[in-house]
Amino acid sequence: MYVSSEVVLKLFGEHFFTFCKQAGYDTMLKTLGGNLTEFIENLDALHSYLALSYQEMNAPSFRVEKTEDGNMLLHYYSDRKGLYHIVPGIMEAVARELFNSKVTMVVLKQSEEDERTGKKEHVVFLVLQSDQAGSTRQQDHARHSRVGGLHVTLRRMRERCVSLAGRRSGWDLVRTVVLLGKGSRQCTFSPCYPDKLWMEEETFCDAFPFHIVFDEDLKVKQTGVKIQKFIPGLQTGDTRLDKYFTITHPQVTFTIESIRKFINSQFVLKSHRDKDTTLKLRGQMLWMGSLRCMLFLCSPKLRSLQELQDGGLNLADLAHHDATRDLVLLNQQRLAEMELTNQLERKKEELRILSCHLEAEKKKTEALLYAMLPRHVANQLKEGKTVEAGEFEVCNILFSDVVTFTNICAACEPIHIVHMLNSMYSKFDRLTNVHDVYKVETIGDAYMVVGGVPVPRESHACRVANFALGMRTAAREVTNPVTDKPIQIRVGIHTGPVLAGVVGQKMPRYCLFGDTVNTASRMESHGVPDHIQLSPTTYSVLMDTGFDLRERGQIDVKGKGQMTTYFLFGNLRASEEIIMGRAAGGSCLYNDDLQSEKEKAVPHTEQLQPASKPSQHQTLCPAVTFTLQLFVLFFNTLVNI
């Protein structure tokens, strides 16, 4: 379906008027004039007012012209070409909504006129207006003229007297007739002018300090005292006005004919006395036919006190009756409020950015804190609460150490040891997140992990066993700085009860206590390189769970006597990729993880959620934690040698 641009622009004009009403300009539009002609004649004044807030606004100009046959012509001037079809849509909506009439507009002439600012589009519309009953606006105007209104009033009074003659008499009848005529006083009003102007010339120039009287040749005949102050050249007789001023609004040539065409528009004259300071005068042109002169009754065009100062003016230069004084002060207050609002918005945005940065730093701090302590323990410490020690009936504890670590320390620089341990422990830390086991501490080359603490889990033994298998694989990826071969570790696991709690106030640590800890340490220290040794209790828990378990036999354990221990070689139900957490798409090894996924939406204050990815603090923490210990161990080794 094809729709012409004229139709679209006309519909846009109707919608634009509706939008202006809904945007809060309805009262302002209703008070522009009592009829469509007055409404159009005051549109330029409305645009000048809006320009105080929207300084870049380039509004069109409108002028109404009455023809000899009583028709109304609307002249439209605009810098933007091709948009004149919007005008009929706006005017029809205005006539319908505000004046309950119907308007038909016909384009009579379309041309371009050369002005100082370039070519202006000039469109002349013939406006035919009628009320809803169909009577033309010209007929309605004639009916309400002064003479016609008088005849109508007399006829109504005569008819009223006839109708009341038989029912009322005396003063009641006179009173009724007099009151009947009160409603028509407005139609019969005619102003009364004095025989002469009761004002001295000096008083007039002082009362209206910004006014100019010039003749048809633009020669200045009279000026206000303040204009003479700022434009001294106007004091010279017969000076041409266009020598000192140019017309900036409306965009017309500076001739008396052009000015008379736009006599109902608001005029703005701009001085060009120098490059630094200019004076803009805004006001009304009044044609004095008997004197063949034009009176420009004006005041400085100002938006703020800053413009007042830039123009070299003071409030004292403005007459007390001039509304420009109030306009400048009110607009200055509005600008101050707008600046305050902008400052608040900027501060609000700055606070939002700072809040985001603070939240990011808070998350980093919490990640570092949760790497040192269990989540629920850390939350209690942040709230200033005392963390009570807890007893766990069953858990799995793992110890590991590096084989021949003392020899490595003796043969390498300390920084190489730090790099080796940091690489190995970073891999171990990632595995703790994969299998959701808790890293208790690291001392030198010893790495301690517990399963089932601080959050009890049914699968804690399987988690620690899989973690141990992953440790052994990860250790093979770390190079011995002395031999350039993969390092070897010993791993020991034991199952039993422990007591867990926070120890210390400065750098508090979550520690485990009990014979289970000692037994697990013995499993590691009495182990075999690159093997995972299990105690009998751990073996009994891991039986029939899919792990490859083999008996080592009886060994003499310090402080425990003879014990039958076992080796863990692998997991028959899970591949190495799954154990290392490298399987594509991820795989769930544990049944209790499936249950946790279902309850993920419900927060648990005592549940330790595994991080999906080790943070930077967790990666660098081993290096920072063990540097001092390694230096001490290194030098102690040298001393022992």
Side-chain angles (χ1 to χ4, degrees):
M1 182 178 65
Y2 173 76
V3 180
S4 63
S5 60
E6 292 82 358
V7 175
V8 174
L9 290 175
K10 184 178 179 180
L11 292 175
F12 173 78
E14 296 180 2
H15 176 75
F16 180 72
F17 176 73
T18 304
F19 170 77
C20 291
K21 289 178 56 180
Q22 296 175 351
Y25 293 96
D26 52 340
T27 304
M28 185 181 300
L29 294 173
K30 291 177 182 178
T31 56
L32 279 184
N35 52 53
L36 183 61
T37 301
E38 295 177 353
F39 179 90
I40 298 174
E41 289 176 346
N42 285 277
L43 275 179
D44 286 6
L46 175 62
H47 292 157
S48 299
Y49 166 75
L50 295 177
L52 294 174
S53 301
Y54 309 99
Q55 299 184 13
E56 301 298 327
M57 185 177 69
N58 184 16
S61 181
F62 299 91
R63 177 171 64 91
V64 176
E65 179 185 356
K66 290 290 185 178
T67 62
E68 295 179 356
D69 55 358
N71 291 326
M72 182 173 70
L73 301 180
L74 173 59
H75 294 261
Y76 166 80
Y77 301 87
S78 176
D79 292 333
R80 295 178 288 270
K81 301 177 183 179
L83 300 180
Y84 63 91
H85 293 289
I86 297 177
V87 178
I90 296 177
M91 294 306 166
E92 291 180 8
V94 169
R96 181 177 62 253
E97 299 292 335
L98 300 184
F99 304 110
N100 194 29
S101 62
K102 182 179 180 181
V103 165
T104 302
M105 300 182 65
V106 180
V107 177
L108 296 183
K109 180 182 178 182
Q110 180 183 3
S111 61
E112 291 185 354
E113 298 181 357
D114 292 328
E115 298 291 347
R116 297 182 308 276
T117 57
K119 290 186 178 296
K120 295 285 185 181
E121 185 178 45
H122 179 201
V123 181
V124 182
F125 295 93
L126 173 62
V127 181
L128 301 176
Q129 185 179 9
S130 61
D131 54 22
Q132 297 297 338
S135 63
T136 62
R137 184 60 79 181
Q138 288 76 17
Q139 295 173 351
D140 187 58
H141 176 71
R143 186 185 307 115
H144 291 87
S145 62
R146 184 169 62 88
V147 178
L150 179 60
H151 287 296
V152 172
T153 302
L154 292 176
R155 180 174 55 79
R156 291 174 58 196
M157 293 174 65
R158 186 164 51 251
E159 294 174 354
R160 186 64 172 169
C161 290
V162 172
S163 63
L164 295 176
R167 289 176 291 176
R168 298 185 183 181
S169 61
W171 289 108
D172 292 339
L173 180 59
V174 175
R175 183 173 181 272
T176 302
V177 173
V178 172
L179 292 177
L180 180 63
K182 285 186 176 181
S184 303
R185 288 181 180 178
Q186 185 176 1
C187 298
T188 60
F189 169 77
S190 60
C192 179
Y193 297 103
D195 297 333
K196 66 175 183 178
L197 185 62
W198 291 89
M199 179 178 288
E200 298 175 349
E201 291 81 357
E202 294 181 0
T203 304
F204 185 87
C205 292
D206 290 336
F208 300 96
F210 293 94
H211 80 275
I212 305 174
V213 178
F214 55 96
D215 61 10
E216 294 177 308
D217 297 327
L218 302 182
K219 293 182 179 181
V220 178
K221 299 298 182 181
Q222 177 182 319
T223 58
V225 293
K226 296 302 180 181
I227 293 183
Q228 299 175 24
K229 174 183 176 182
F230 292 97
I231 313 292
L234 294 178
Q235 294 177 331
T236 305
D238 294 335
T239 302
R240 287 184 61 89
L241 185 61
D242 55 356
K243 180 180 178 181
Y244 297 96
F245 288 94
T246 57
I247 300 178
T248 60
H249 185 275
Q251 298 289 345
V252 296
T253 55
F254 209 149
T255 61
I256 202 71
E257 293 79 10
S258 298
I259 294 175
R260 292 188 63 180
K261 288 182 180 179
F262 291 84
I263 195 68
N264 293 322
S265 299
Q266 187 180 69
F267 279 78
V268 177
L269 270 61
K270 179 180 180 182
S271 68
H272 44 76
R273 58 174 180 173
D274 54 52
K275 297 181 180 179
D276 298 331
T277 306
T278 58
L279 178 64
K280 290 184 179 181
L281 299 177
R282 176 178 56 190
Q284 179 183 7
M285 292 287 185
L286 298 173
W287 174 246
M288 299 179 290
S290 60
L291 300 177
R292 307 301 296 176
C293 289
M294 187 73 71
L295 169 62
F296 182 42
L297 196 59
C298 58
S299 60
K301 183 181 180 182
L302 303 170
R303 294 188 181 93
S304 62
L305 294 177
Q306 184 63 40
E307 292 186 3
L308 185 74
Q309 294 177 350
D310 294 342
L313 295 170
N314 298 307
L315 287 177
D317 295 325
L318 305 177
H320 290 280
H321 62 78
D322 193 346
T324 305
R325 297 167 63 101
D326 298 333
L327 180 63
V328 169
L329 295 176
L330 290 175
N331 193 48
Q332 184 66 28
Q333 180 181 1
R334 184 187 64 87
L335 292 176
E337 293 175 352
M338 290 178 60
E339 179 61 25
L340 180 60
T341 302
N342 293 335
Q343 291 180 5
L344 292 177
E345 290 295 330
R346 289 194 294 268
K347 292 297 182 182
K348 180 181 177 181
E349 181 64 18
E350 292 176 1
L351 289 176
R352 188 191 66 81
I353 295 175
L354 291 176
S355 177
C356 293
H357 292 170
L358 180 61
E359 186 66 24
E361 295 299 326
K362 180 181 178 182
K363 291 181 178 180
K364 293 179 182 179
T365 304
E366 290 180 347
L368 181 60
L369 181 61
Y370 294 152
M372 300 173 59
L373 295 171
R375 184 177 294 269
H376 75 283
V377 173
N379 292 334
Q380 293 181 26
L381 291 177
K382 285 195 302 182
E383 296 172 0
K385 299 179 181 179
T386 302
V387 181
E388 300 292 339
E391 184 176 357
F392 296 85
E393 295 181 357
V394 60
C395 70
N396 274 68
I397 298 178
L398 176 148
F399 277 93
S400 72
D401 71 342
V402 178
V403 179
T404 66
F405 181 72
T406 303
N407 298 333
I408 296 175
C409 291
C412 293
E413 295 290 333
I415 190 64
H416 296 156
I417 306 301
V418 172
H419 289 164
M420 181 191 72
L421 291 179
N422 186 52
S423 175
M424 182 178 66
Y425 288 159
S426 297
K427 298 178 184 295
F428 292 173
D429 291 343
R430 189 187 68 83
L431 290 173
T432 60
N433 295 324
V434 172
H435 300 285
D436 194 13
V437 293
Y438 180 67
K439 171 186 173 182
V440 181
E441 61 181 352
T442 53
I443 302 176
D445 63 327
Y447 196 93
M448 180 180 179
V449 169
V450 62
V453 176
V455 180
R457 292 184 179 275
E458 295 180 359
S459 60
H460 60 85
C462 296
R463 292 176 182 272
V464 174
N466 286 323
F467 174 77
L469 295 173
M471 288 181 69
R472 185 177 62 180
T473 303
R476 294 169 182 170
E477 299 174 357
V478 180
T479 303
N480 187 327
V482 177
T483 62
D484 289 334
K485 295 180 180 180
I487 62 173
Q488 291 182 331
I489 60 173
R490 284 188 297 262
V491 181
I493 304 175
H494 178 60
T495 304
V498 294
L499 183 68
V502 178
V503 177
Q505 295 181 349
K506 186 176 182 181
M507 292 186 66
R509 300 297 299 175
Y510 189 73
C511 299
L512 305 180
F513 303 93
D515 185 65
T516 303
V517 178
N518 297 329
T519 304
S521 178
R522 295 291 185 268
M523 291 295 101
E524 176 268 319
S525 59
H526 291 73
V528 179
D530 202 30
H531 281 69
I532 303 170
Q533 184 168 241
L534 310 179
S535 67
T537 54
T538 304
Y539 172 78
S540 62
V541 173
L542 293 178
M543 288 179 57
D544 302 327
T545 56
F547 289 95
D548 183 7
L549 307 175
R550 302 176 189 177
E551 181 178 347
R552 179 186 180 183
Q554 286 192 348
I555 61 172
D556 186 17
V557 179
K558 181 179 180 181
K560 298 294 181 180
Q562 294 292 321
M563 289 183 62
T564 301
T565 61
Y566 302 84
F567 285 137
L568 170 63
F569 287 97
N571 188 336
L572 302 178
R573 299 177 182 177
S575 65
E576 182 178 298
E577 295 296 322
I578 295 178
I579 293 175
M580 295 298 295
R582 299 169 182 168
S587 299
C588 186
L589 284 172
Y590 314 105
N591 294 330
D592 46 7
D593 279 346
L594 296 175
Q595 185 66 23
S596 299
E597 289 294 330
K598 296 179 181 180
E599 301 175 356
K600 197 171 184 179
V602 182
H604 296 283
T605 56
E606 296 185 356
Q607 183 175 356
L608 179 63
Q609 296 290 346
S612 60
K613 183 179 180 181
S615 66
Q616 183 179 4
H617 297 286
Q618 291 174 324
T619 303
L620 298 179
C621 190
V624 177
T625 306
F626 308 120
T627 301
L628 182 60
Q629 298 175 351
L630 289 173
F631 273 110
V632 175
L633 182 62
F634 176 76
F635 287 112
N636 288 338
T637 304
L638 292 180
V639 172
N640 293 332
I641 293 176

